[in-house]
Amino acid sequence: MDALASLLEGPRARGAFLMCSLLNPPWSLRIQDEAPLTVLSMIRGGAWIVTDESAPRRLGAGDVAVFRGPAPYTVADDPATEPQIIIHPGQVTKTPDGEILCETLSLGVRQWGTDPDGATLMVTGTYESAGAAGLRLLRALPPVLVLRRGEFDSRVLDILVDEVTRDQPAQSAVLDRLLDLVLIAALRAWFARNDAPGWYRAYGDPLVGKALRLLQHNPAHGWTVAGLAEAVGMSRAALARRFTDLVGEPPMAFLTEWRLALAADLLQESDATIEAIARQVGYGSAFALSTAFKRHFGVSPRDHRLGVVAAELSSAG
């Protein structure tokens, strides 16, 4: 399991929201759905991305944009076009006056807009929940990243466009996996062209990369720095120094965050007891996990399972 594979276990699509938008100018969408991660693929026509932090950016046919939430942004035919439609949490679509448009603008299966033959066609995939295990990945991303056609492997986009309007058995699972593939292709290309975070580059180191994989594959093991160093063939001091230099934190700090992130996701995705989850991620008891969990996230495992979300889990920033 490498950097993207392991960290995408968090924001991996599970019943993600996918939609084809078909629009004729003038049009402007204000996105304030607070979603942690959104992938927008421009299939036909063009658009402008407008945020509160940076200058407007142009998207052309074949380009892909990845948005890291929860900050709002606008996608429009022109930066000067005032928002006509607002996307709220839960993908509720309204006018600025509050009129609900979800049914009014429906054009068929996973299609909406103002014209079925609209000059603009874009496919949007929204991850409603990133999961705790994905926070490290989200923190490495800018609020918006744009990849131009030809800068990434876009072959899967054609398949996604073909599949998104179909209504076949297991279609949601098919679309989830296709959305993941588009995201992975975009992030691979973006990290290759930009200053990737230390932990991402560390997977390419023959020794520290092996240590990272051991920790992530076997979180329940009773790891110590000495035991990890022996497993990768280094001295304890050399591994601690090299790991910290490349990853940005000591091995045991990385392991603790990984264990707690896995526990957070298991609490919401399974019915296992806190005791069982504790042992699965490397804690000796439910009490030990609860103590560490509350110190790290600010809520107990029980409250997290019930939906009492701490600030660390509600924002990737």
Side-chain angles (χ1 to χ4, degrees):
M1 185 181 293
D2 61 21
L4 281 183
S6 62
L7 293 166
L8 281 171
E9 286 299 301
R12 185 176 59 190
R14 299 175 181 87
F17 178 85
L18 282 106
M19 186 65 69
C20 282
S21 300
L22 294 143
L23 303 159
N24 276 327
W27 59 270
S28 179
L29 312 177
R30 180 66 173 172
I31 317 299
Q32 50 189 49
D33 58 6
E34 301 178 6
L37 196 65
T38 298
V39 181
L40 188 154
S41 305
M42 185 61 56
I43 308 302
R44 183 172 70 238
W48 286 87
I49 297 169
V50 182
T51 69
D52 297 335
E53 294 80 19
S54 59
R57 304 175 71 175
R58 172 73 174 172
L59 284 180
D63 296 346
V64 166
V66 179
F67 300 88
R68 172 175 61 80
Y73 55 92
T74 300
V75 182
D77 71 305
D78 186 278
T81 304
E82 289 294 322
Q84 303 155 339
I85 298 171
I86 300 174
I87 312 298
H88 294 273
Q91 304 305 314
V92 176
T93 306
K94 297 182 180 180
T95 66
D97 294 331
E99 178 188 354
I100 296 178
L101 298 172
C102 299
E103 297 299 326
T104 305
L105 297 178
S106 177
L107 296 175
V109 177
R110 299 185 193 87
Q111 296 182 82
W112 78 282
T114 57
D115 185 346
D117 299 313
T120 299
L121 168 59
M122 54 188 179
V123 176
T124 305
T126 302
Y127 290 77
E128 303 284 1
S129 174
L135 288 177
R136 182 182 291 269
L137 172 62
L138 296 184
R139 287 195 296 260
L141 301 179
V144 183
L145 66 89
V146 173
L147 287 162
R148 304 300 178 187
R149 185 180 186 90
E151 292 183 342
F152 69 104
D153 187 346
S154 60
R155 290 173 296 177
V156 72
L157 272 180
D158 296 332
I159 304 174
L160 179 62
V161 173
D162 288 341
E163 291 285 344
V164 73
T165 57
R166 293 184 181 179
D167 192 15
Q168 300 290 329
Q171 192 67 9
S172 63
V174 171
L175 294 175
D176 283 349
R177 299 293 77 76
L178 288 173
L179 177 58
D180 286 342
L181 289 173
V182 173
L183 176 63
I184 290 170
L187 294 184
R188 274 178 176 173
W190 189 82
F191 280 138
R193 289 171 170 80
N194 294 272
D195 186 18
W199 54 260
Y200 184 85
R201 297 192 303 272
Y203 282 89
D205 183 271
L207 297 175
V208 173
K210 182 179 179 181
L212 282 167
R213 292 178 177 87
L214 285 171
L215 295 177
Q216 289 187 307
H217 278 297
N218 305 285
H221 184 74
W223 291 109
T224 63
V225 177
L228 187 62
E230 182 178 358
V232 300
M234 298 179 71
S235 71
R236 181 185 182 281
L239 173 64
R241 181 172 58 252
R242 188 173 183 85
F243 192 104
T244 303
D245 288 345
L246 294 180
V247 179
E249 61 184 332
M252 294 301 101
F254 177 91
L255 177 60
T256 296
E257 183 177 344
W258 181 246
R259 283 171 167 171
L260 293 174
L262 292 177
D265 289 343
L266 287 169
L267 285 163
Q268 294 194 326
E269 296 168 6
S270 77
D271 295 326
T273 65
I274 297 176
E275 184 75 29
I277 291 173
R279 297 190 183 282
Q280 186 174 341
V281 301
Y283 284 88
S285 67
F287 177 78
L289 172 61
S290 296
T291 300
F293 196 96
K294 190 166 186 177
R295 181 170 59 245
H296 186 72
F297 288 124
V299 294
S300 68
R302 178 180 177 277
D303 285 344
H304 175 63
R305 170 168 272 173
L306 293 174
V308 182
V309 183
E312 177 70 13
L313 291 176
S314 63
S315 171

